[in-house]
Amino acid sequence: MSDTASGGTPEAATGPGGAYKWIALSNTTLGVLMVMINQSIVLIALPDIFRGIHLNPLDPANTSYLLWMLMGFMVVTAVLVVTFGRLGDMFGRVRMYNMGFAVFTLCSIALSLTWLHGSAGALWLIGWRVVQGIGGALLFANSTAILTDAFPAKQRGTALGINSIAAIAGSFIGLILGGVLAPVNWKMIFLVSVPFGIFGTIWAYLKLRDTGVRRKARMDWWGNITFAVGLISVLVGITYGIQPYGSSTMGWSNPKVLAELIGGVVVLIAFVIIEMRVKEPLFRLTLFRVRAFTAGNIASLLTALGRGGLQFMLIIWLQGIWLPLHGYSFEKTPLWAGIYMIPLTIGFLLSAPLSGWLSDRFGARAFTVGGALLTAASFLALMTLPTNFSYWAFALLILVNGLGSGLFASPNRAEIMNAVPAESRGVGAGMTATFQNSSMVLSIGIFFSLMVTGLSHTLPHTMQTGLVQHGVPVAEAHQIAQLPPIAVLFAAFLGYNPFQQLLAGHLSSLPDKGASITGKSFFPHLISGPFHQGLVIAFWFAVAACVVAAVASMLTGRTKPAAAVESLGSELAAVSGEAGVALSELVIPDTTDAATPAKDPMG
């Protein structure tokens, strides 16, 4: 829709410029930074949270609480981000964004006020985390569009890139803050965002305003409902599928899990049928006729699957094995795991902007294919490391992994967005963001399932033998050895020595009063062999996913960036997809300072 057709002016289309665009950038960057800090701060502070509410996370009955504390926010964001983008288009981006800031801040206050303990405390926290995910989705879905409205075309991508880089920085800052604040008082991890949330909410209410010229959209209610129900069902099924069921180490044979997975797929098929028939669909399925869009999204989804569970695997490796063997107490491993993973983030931040700049000049395909293959090679190399590795070898390999991911991410996003017609960029961005957000939950399910499969073959025997050798009665050792492998993984992930709790009533009767079993080396040595076997299985999946992604990237063709699309800045904005920031329903009006749009590839 042109400016003249809508009765607008060139200035309205490109934003007011001047000081306002910097207000919009600083406020939206604050919002995204706050949300990303909050996500990672919870990840690293889980041990202190569970100790604070007096709940044993190693009890199989409490496994679901742990999983929902981890993944509830992700599930809600994945499901709602596209819908909230459409609501912003209908009722105003700034209005939806302000609501998100307020909801997120109120939930942070509620999370810090809990007085409950045990299961009631866990449910309180999970419930408010889910509601907080609604606020996060409102912020993610509309912050990008506010920047798009506020900045002229020649600066728009750079603004999005700054916003996106801040999101990745927030992920790292959250890991450090969680490690520092949680041992002092676990409620501080939620309170830390409250002053920024209050300031940002008031500032946004007073200063932000809708400036874009938009066409009112009709809400696709049946599409929204079937999409939400279907995706929630599948993601919930995955969440419970990695939990024990009866005598099985996992719950994939659980009738409830099967019903959720199959039912969710059926509802999503109904969603596709609906989207093919409605006039203004939530998802524009005709975009899949564009080869570069389809192949690019397949490649993006596969690399996200291969990479999504990596952070969890590395945290388990560091917290459960490497750090205790190098003298760190189990209580301090969450903080140091975040510090020792810095090279992964550095690699990504170094290569993502560079690959975007170079791909403008030499084409995207070499970087998407090369980045996916480099990431696959890093997974292969990580398999060869012993569990008690030399840190500099480990740091180099995760740096390479981050470099490969960054090389792939920016050109891949640019390929996808340059392949669709200008009027479909918002819908295309929202669809891609949904795939990215959903892949995180799916990746966790796949990685944990593969790890449990590897552990279940050797861990019970290894655990029983090790305990008996240290004086634990055979009957007691056999009972402990039946602990579900997922509980052992969670113990390592949370920085727990599980035998401190499991043998609490028997330690005094052991020859050395249990000093060797509860020390820093017994648990890491015990699980290192079985863990490495499971790790190899999980990493082979990651290698396969990255190789297939490289093949898909080769099929995108040699599409050159359109003249109307920003170069480096637009590709920098791709980084937000890697940080969990959803680019949904961008509002990109035709602007007088943009070049003639490229021809619609769908004709």
Side-chain angles (χ1 to χ4, degrees):
M1 181 177 65
S2 67
D3 299 328
T4 54
S6 62
T9 65
E11 184 182 17
T14 59
Y20 174 76
K21 62 185 178 184
W22 303 115
I23 293 173
L25 176 60
S26 53
N27 189 277
T28 55
T29 299
L30 175 64
V32 170
L33 184 68
M34 180 183 70
V35 175
M36 294 308 299
I37 288 175
N38 189 275
Q39 276 190 266
S40 57
I41 206 172
V42 170
L43 178 71
I44 212 71
L46 279 172
D48 294 286
I49 292 175
F50 274 88
R51 277 192 287 268
I53 62 175
H54 308 302
L55 195 66
N56 179 13
L58 305 184
D59 187 337
N62 297 331
T63 302
S64 60
Y65 298 135
L66 176 62
L67 284 172
W68 277 108
M69 200 83 74
L70 279 173
M71 302 204 294
F73 189 98
M74 301 178 197
V75 170
V76 172
T77 303
V79 169
L80 293 179
V81 69
V82 178
T83 299
F84 285 163
R86 180 59 59 87
L87 286 175
D89 196 35
M90 294 173 65
F91 300 110
R93 297 291 184 181
V94 169
R95 183 179 298 177
M96 294 292 112
Y97 175 85
N98 290 350
M99 187 185 303
F101 230 135
V103 168
F104 195 92
T105 305
L106 289 173
C107 289
S108 295
I109 296 172
L111 284 162
S112 66
L113 292 178
T114 179
W115 66 96
L116 302 168
H117 297 99
S119 299
L123 290 173
W124 173 278
L125 294 175
I126 291 168
W128 283 109
R129 281 289 288 169
V130 167
V131 179
Q132 195 172 49
I134 297 174
L138 283 164
L139 287 169
F140 286 158
N142 294 287
S143 60
T144 310
I146 290 172
L147 290 178
T148 303
D149 290 342
F151 278 80
K154 62 182 179 181
Q155 295 180 323
R156 189 177 298 147
T158 301
L160 294 172
I162 294 171
N163 194 259
S164 304
I165 295 297
I168 294 181
S171 298
F172 166 69
I173 293 170
L175 293 176
I176 304 300
L177 275 179
V180 172
L181 296 177
V184 178
N185 188 322
W186 67 269
K187 295 182 180 181
M188 291 176 66
I189 68 166
F190 300 114
L191 281 173
V192 71
S193 62
V194 171
F196 301 100
I198 293 174
F199 171 74
T201 302
I202 296 173
W203 188 23
Y205 178 77
L206 294 176
K207 295 294 185 180
L208 294 184
R209 56 187 182 274
D210 277 301
T211 59
V213 179
R214 290 185 292 269
R215 178 177 60 87
K216 284 287 185 179
R218 187 177 299 173
M219 180 59 74
D220 172 19
W221 289 111
W222 283 112
N224 276 273
I225 292 170
T226 51
F227 176 72
V229 171
L231 188 57
I232 288 174
S233 181
V234 170
L235 297 180
V236 169
I238 292 170
T239 302
Y240 285 103
I242 62 177
Q243 299 182 45
Y245 172 68
S247 59
S248 302
T249 56
M250 288 182 288
W252 298 113
S253 60
N254 185 342
K256 179 183 176 183
V257 170
L258 292 173
E260 288 167 342
L261 293 174
I262 296 171
V265 171
V266 170
V267 175
L268 287 176
I269 291 173
F271 163 74
V272 171
I273 295 172
I274 291 170
E275 296 303 277
M276 294 172 65
R277 286 166 167 75
V278 297
K279 185 177 180 180
E280 296 185 31
L282 180 67
F283 271 37
R284 193 164 296 173
L285 300 179
T286 52
L287 290 177
F288 288 112
R289 298 175 187 169
V290 183
R291 187 178 69 173
F293 180 84
T294 303
N297 272 298
I298 291 172
S300 176
L301 178 64
L302 286 170
T303 54
L305 287 177
R307 195 177 57 249
L310 173 66
Q311 187 179 39
F312 289 91
M313 297 300 106
L314 295 184
I315 288 175
I316 291 170
W317 197 348
L318 288 169
Q319 292 186 187
I321 299 175
W322 194 85
L323 287 168
L325 288 178
H326 287 257
Y328 295 86
S329 66
F330 283 92
E331 291 77 15
K332 293 182 179 179
T333 56
L335 169 62
W336 285 101
I339 293 173
Y340 279 118
M341 286 172 60
I342 290 176
L344 182 68
T345 304
I346 291 175
F348 192 95
L349 292 178
L350 286 176
S351 61
L354 181 62
S355 67
W357 183 75
L358 291 173
S359 65
D360 272 345
R361 285 147 182 79
F362 304 108
R365 191 163 67 172
F367 296 94
T368 54
V369 175
L373 292 177
L374 184 61
T375 305
S378 70
F379 280 117
L380 283 171
L382 283 167
M383 291 184 209
T384 66
L385 287 181
T387 48
N388 189 14
F389 48 77
S390 166
Y391 176 70
W392 294 111
F394 175 81
L396 177 62
L397 292 180
I398 63 174
L399 175 69
V400 171
N401 187 281
L403 289 170
S405 300
L407 283 175
F408 171 86
S410 296
N412 169 259
R413 184 73 183 202
E415 268 191 326
I416 292 172
M417 296 311 297
N418 292 341
V420 299
E423 69 273 11
S424 300
R425 288 179 198 146
V427 176
M431 292 164 68
T432 302
T434 299
F435 299 144
Q436 286 280 343
N437 291 333
S438 302
S439 69
M440 187 62 180
V441 179
L442 182 58
S443 179
I444 292 171
I446 292 172
F447 267 75
F448 273 111
S449 296
L450 293 173
M451 283 294 299
V452 169
T453 300
L455 286 171
S456 61
H457 293 302
T458 55
L459 182 62
H461 174 73
T462 303
M463 187 179 293
Q464 182 171 339
T465 302
L467 290 171
V468 171
Q469 288 175 349
H470 282 74
V472 177
V474 175
E476 184 70 22
H478 177 75
Q479 182 179 354
I480 294 174
Q482 303 310 307
L483 185 73
I486 193 72
V488 176
L489 284 179
F490 285 157
F493 176 71
L494 294 170
Y496 273 88
N497 183 344
F499 300 114
Q500 194 91 36
Q501 285 82 23
L502 295 172
L503 291 170
H506 303 273
L507 292 175
S508 59
S509 63
L510 297 180
D512 59 353
K513 307 299 181 183
S516 60
I517 289 180
T518 58
K520 297 176 182 177
S521 62
F522 177 75
F523 178 57
H525 278 306
L526 186 70
I527 69 168
S528 61
F531 173 81
H532 193 266
Q533 291 183 6
L535 192 73
V536 168
I537 294 173
F539 280 176
W540 269 118
F541 166 79
V543 169
C546 290
V547 170
V548 177
V551 174
S553 295
M554 293 181 67
L555 300 177
T556 56
R558 297 180 180 271
T559 306
K560 293 290 184 181
V565 181
E566 300 90 311
S567 54
L568 171 60
S570 289
E571 290 155 359
L572 279 173
V575 177
S576 62
E578 305 302 315
V581 182
L583 302 173
S584 175
E585 291 290 306
L586 296 180
V587 181
I588 306 181
D590 296 333
T591 59
T592 56
D593 59 339
T596 303
K599 184 179 179 180
D600 185 344
M602 294 186 298

